[in-house]
Amino acid sequence: MQVVVSCLGVRAAAASPSFEAVDGGGNRALFDACLSARSSVRFAVLVAAPLGALLRRSVPLVEARERVVDALCAQRALPFAIVRPALLLDDLDDIYRAVETGAPAMLAHPTALCNPIAVADVARAIVRICDNPAY
């Protein structure tokens, strides 16, 4: 099976190119290519934000990726999965640095519980999904 997995995205809203260009446009272009008649891709995975539907209206970076989720959900030609991992353990260093500078960004309610997960665990789950899409 030919599979495409995208976790394509910028790591900061102030980055260049913009999150709109990468998280939105880049992912959309990737999946549009997967849908082309010449493509041998038979399954696609998009890694998206947890609580994306809830956060999309208030977090522009999430909105850009959620429009790609919408496009995937609207088509029927390419089987796909949307993976929404919790906070990635590997991102904790970035969060700690942001807190140290005094300018952290809150993406959830301050009392929300969060169960961070290791990137390797997310990768194993994605491989399992790709091996068995009905999983």
Side-chain angles (χ1 to χ4, degrees):
M1 175 189 294
Q2 300 293 329
V3 176
V4 168
V5 176
S6 179
C7 54
L8 180 64
V10 298
R11 294 186 52 87
S16 179
S18 71
F19 57 84
E20 192 63 52
V22 178
D23 291 64
N27 279 302
R28 184 63 191 260
L30 175 65
F31 291 117
D32 285 348
C34 293
L35 287 164
S36 77
R38 296 182 312 271
S39 174
S40 63
V41 174
R42 299 293 172 247
F43 191 74
V45 177
L46 175 65
V47 179
L51 304 174
L54 179 69
L55 295 173
R56 72 184 300 171
R57 301 292 178 231
S58 59
V59 182
L61 189 142
V62 173
E63 173 63 24
R65 179 101 36 128
E66 287 303 304
R67 283 197 298 274
V68 179
V69 171
D70 295 344
L72 280 170
C73 291
Q75 60 83 38
R76 296 287 177 242
L78 179 66
F80 67 93
I82 307 298
V83 175
R84 297 182 183 274
L87 179 67
L88 299 174
L89 283 173
D90 302 50
D91 290 339
L92 287 177
D93 286 339
D94 294 336
I95 292 169
Y96 294 145
R97 276 192 292 281
V99 169
E100 287 173 351
T101 65
M106 293 299 290
L107 295 180
H109 191 275
T111 61
L113 298 177
C114 182
N115 190 8
I117 186 168
V119 171
D121 291 336
V122 174
R124 279 191 284 279
I126 290 172
V127 168
R128 189 174 304 136
I129 290 165
C130 292
D131 284 345
N132 182 11
Y135 176 72

